[in-house]
Amino acid sequence: MAGPTELPTDNPALARQAAILARPVTPASRMADAIRALAIDAVEAANSGHPGLPMGMADVATTLWTRFLKFDAADPSWPDRDRFVLSAGHGSMLLYALLHLTGFPGMTIEDIKRFRQLHSPAAGHPEHGEAPGIETTTGPLGQGLATAVGMALAERMLAARFGKSLVDHRTWVIAGDGDLMEGISHEAIGLAGHLRLNKLTVLFDDNHISIDGDTALAVSDDQIKRFAAHGWATKRVDGYDPAQIAAALSFALRSKKPTLIACRTIIGFGAPTKAGTAAAHGSALGPKEAAGAKAAMHWDEPPFTIPGDLSQLWLAAGSRGAGGRRAWLKRLAHHTMRGEFERVIDGKLPETWHEAVHALKAEIAATKPKLASRAASQKVLDALVPATPELVGGSADLTGSNLTFVKGMGTVAPGNYGGRYIHFGIREHGMAAAGNGIALHRGLIPYVGTFFVFTDYARPAIRMSAIMRLRVIYVLTHDSIGLGEDGPTHQPVEHLASLRAMPNVHVFRPADALETAECWELAIRRTDGPSLLVLSRQALPAQRSDIAENRSARGGYVLAEAEGARQATIIATGSEVSIAMDARAALAAEGIPTAVVSLPCWELFAEQDEAYRAQVLGGAPRIGVEAASALGWERWLGPDGVFIGMSSFGASGPWEEVYRYFGITNDAIVAAVKKRLG
Ligand SMILES: Cc1ncc(C[n+]2csc(CCOP(=O)(O)OP(=O)(O)O)c2C)c(N)n1
Ligand SMILES: [Mg+2]
């Protein structure tokens, strides 16, 4: 078996390729060649990129886009369009060629000429938001497939609410060998099969090649049997036989299960020597091979040039859905739920969303309950869920621990999508990716729950929420050594630091029930990125009763000013705020006036103006307290600050004892302050 750098001496793909190339030329095969030509030219011009996938899958994509995919290039955000996800994002030129050829705004030939150059919408991998029609960012293999499961689920859930006349579309995915090797694909196809998401179809680019060479180097899965075992319908087709492809796509339309179509393809189809080999995967073919490929296709246009007749055929495919869209717009105009539909698609909260949360905050202020922040989060959800119909959620099998279910939500079940609660199963990664898909689809606001420590199992999808700036709310309970007995495997230590390091994420760690309500308000209002609510298992005493202003909105604030000139400032988050308050009282008794700053969201605090931050943090010596890694705290403590927290993994035991063992106590804070003051 040849490795990535050498060509195999015998390449059986070339004989098959020759036979396929000898078939009669048709308008459809010419349309596919237009995709190939653009992919070859763009990758040659950039001298970087992946020609193999677009060349291999061009015919499958042509059949899908010209005969099955429901869309109107004139309105890329038509809510009832089919969603197309190129999970194998390295094949980005396939998507860019399709968007360009079908006439989407935002993907001109000039853009394609600047493939992979700074500020071109034709970026290395598809980036959601760079051009209309890029439904999701892909590149990390497996993410697109798992995100598509969320899109397909959102479609079913919205159809259950608004009916088929407004919501009736499909989700199509192109996935490669790599997507299906990744672990996340297991979670995604298991969830989709279980929920019977029959309007989801995966077109598998079954080319037996990945970067290292033949996939047989590393994998011998029978994908057909594997998907079938997960409850999918399956078909196998010749990836260059439009009749077979169309028959399989028609089969998918009728299927009562999600459908896998394994399309037997040749990577780099058309390339005279590199076709069928890893050499076609991820680098420019080179002038000779590129010319050979074009000659094999009888393509003699100058680079980046599509003959007028082909261009017309493609543009006609791009407006195939125009009539359907107009009919849909008429149905929407007369629909009794039009206002509500438009509101949720626009992502606007109901006018009254805040009333119940406000009432809850008033109640918290009046009763000052001692509550775990996860329990406070449950109360917020009890208020928010009835007031905000688009809010849907779930947990990765930790519903009773994450406290994410609200009575009356109803659960989503196979074939029944009217409920609002999703039992994701023990699939953190798949759950987070599905949350991204739900958010991308629009019409619903997803929250997803697990233990904070298991964000490690979801992190690549959290990163996608962040890159795409999606409104996904993560409910992450059991936030520190404060979870106690379950021990170090379950006690997050480095997670706050690592997630605070991720751009676009708001990490909230509220100190009491009132801050929890405030942080939830900020999370649900936020439309430009994900929010992580990091919540305690153990009960936390109430710290505040002022509700006139959402004080967490500034990220940090003086919770308790020093009684007298500040001699020290203790800065804490979450469960450590109450320890800091105890230390403040002890210090005051010893004549050391000390302020306590609560810092529930570092990112929001960092956005405040310098003067505000300076006033909050103060000029007195600073002591940071957080039951987590010190990494990052120097930002608030300065060079002379003292940090009290964790420098090792935690330990199993009753939580109060664990805190004492690791020296996160008011006595330790008092001692540190006194030492610092000398
Ligand atoms: C999570 C992840 N791991 C590794 C990569 C690097 N990578 C990009 S494409 C690829 C091979 C993919 O093989 P396949 O899906 O068969 O694509 P083909 O070579 O057939 O185009 C790899 C390993 C990646 N993009 N994402
Ligand atoms: Mg492959």
Side-chain angles (χ1 to χ4, degrees), residues 56-145:
M57 282 295 277
D59 297 83
V60 173
T62 299
T63 303
L64 175 64
W65 278 63
T66 60
R67 297 170 60 184
F68 289 86
L69 189 75
K70 177 170 91 168
F71 73 106
D72 180 356
D75 182 5
S77 54
W78 173 25
D80 201 31
R81 70 192 181 281
D82 284 359
R83 305 306 196 262
F84 173 77
V85 173
L86 181 65
S87 190
H90 58 277
S92 56
M93 262 313 302
L94 176 69
L95 178 57
Y96 303 152
L98 289 163
L99 294 178
H100 170 67
L101 290 166
T102 53
F104 273 73
M107 193 56 72
T108 65
I109 199 71
E110 296 308 315
D111 294 326
I112 288 183
K113 285 181 186 166
R114 299 195 63 252
F115 176 53
R116 290 190 155 237
Q117 306 310 305
L118 212 51
H119 308 310
S120 169
H125 292 84
E127 293 179 29
H128 176 65
E130 281 298 310
I134 303 177
E135 300 282 4
T136 178
T137 295
T138 51
L141 294 168
Q143 290 294 333
L145 170 59

Side-chain angles (χ1 to χ4, degrees), residues 53 90 139-141 176-179 182 205 207 209-211 267 281:
L53 184 143
H90 58 277
L141 294 168
D177 299 293
D179 289 298
E182 288 292 350
D205 179 20
N207 63 18
I209 293 289
S210 62
I211 292 179
I267 189 169
H281 164 85

Side-chain angles (χ1 to χ4, degrees), residues 324-595:
R325 185 176 71 89
R326 278 196 296 275
W328 182 87
L329 284 171
K330 277 199 196 122
R331 291 199 297 278
L332 176 67
H334 299 115
H335 204 285
T336 51
M337 287 196 269
R338 174 185 176 172
E340 179 67 358
F341 183 79
E342 290 180 335
R343 181 185 74 73
V344 298
I345 293 292
D346 288 348
K348 295 208 181 88
L349 293 171
E351 265 167 35
T352 52
W353 78 272
H354 195 244
E355 289 170 6
V357 189
H358 192 78
L360 172 65
K361 282 164 67 173
E363 183 201 312
I364 292 172
T367 58
K368 298 198 103 187
K370 182 175 180 180
L371 274 182
S373 48
R374 64 174 174 146
S377 166
Q378 169 82 73
K379 284 188 177 293
V380 180
L381 278 170
D382 289 345
L384 272 178
V385 162
T388 320
E390 63 271 39
L391 191 61
V392 301
S395 161
D397 201 48
L398 288 169
T399 298
S401 300
N402 300 147
L403 301 176
T404 36
F405 181 72
V406 174
K407 276 198 201 80
M409 278 181 100
T411 52
V412 169
N416 182 355
Y417 310 99
R420 293 168 60 186
Y421 195 76
I422 304 151
H423 291 283
F424 283 102
I426 309 148
R427 299 183 177 105
E428 296 83 7
H429 200 180
M431 171 177 74
N436 290 340
I438 293 171
L440 282 163
H441 181 282
R442 303 191 70 86
L444 298 170
I445 301 174
Y447 66 88
V448 296
T450 185
F451 287 157
F452 187 37
V453 80
F454 299 135
T455 51
D456 286 340
Y457 275 49
R459 190 180 169 98
I462 298 176
R463 191 164 189 271
M464 299 302 280
S465 318
I467 283 193
M468 292 189 270
R469 293 184 166 277
L470 300 178
R471 175 156 56 183
V472 178
I473 302 168
Y474 292 86
V475 179
L476 304 165
T477 67
H478 297 59
D479 71 341
S480 74
I481 54 168
L483 65 85
E485 290 83 351
D486 276 335
T489 55
H490 285 51
Q491 294 166 346
V493 170
E494 73 281 27
H495 299 73
L496 282 168
S498 95
L499 288 157
R500 284 172 182 152
M502 193 182 279
N504 302 352
V505 173
H506 286 180
V507 179
F508 293 100
R509 190 165 184 253
D512 68 356
L514 187 55
E515 270 195 12
T516 305
E518 290 179 341
C519 294
W520 251 112
E521 287 174 340
L522 297 167
I524 196 163
R525 264 199 212 124
R526 182 171 191 220
T527 54
D528 63 354
S531 299
L532 275 53
L533 297 164
V534 180
L535 305 169
S536 75
R537 170 176 182 268
Q538 75 274 29
L540 309 176
Q543 301 298 342
R544 274 178 40 211
S545 49
D546 56 309
I547 55 169
E549 182 198 339
N550 181 331
R551 301 187 75 192
S552 303
R554 302 194 92 173
Y557 59 92
V558 180
L559 172 65
E561 192 45 274
E563 287 164 8
R566 261 200 221 188
Q567 288 195 32
T569 304
I570 309 172
I571 310 165
T573 78
S575 45
E576 285 67 75
V577 169
S578 80
I579 303 175
M581 288 297 284
D582 291 346
R584 174 181 174 273
L587 287 161
E590 298 195 38
I592 306 174
T594 304

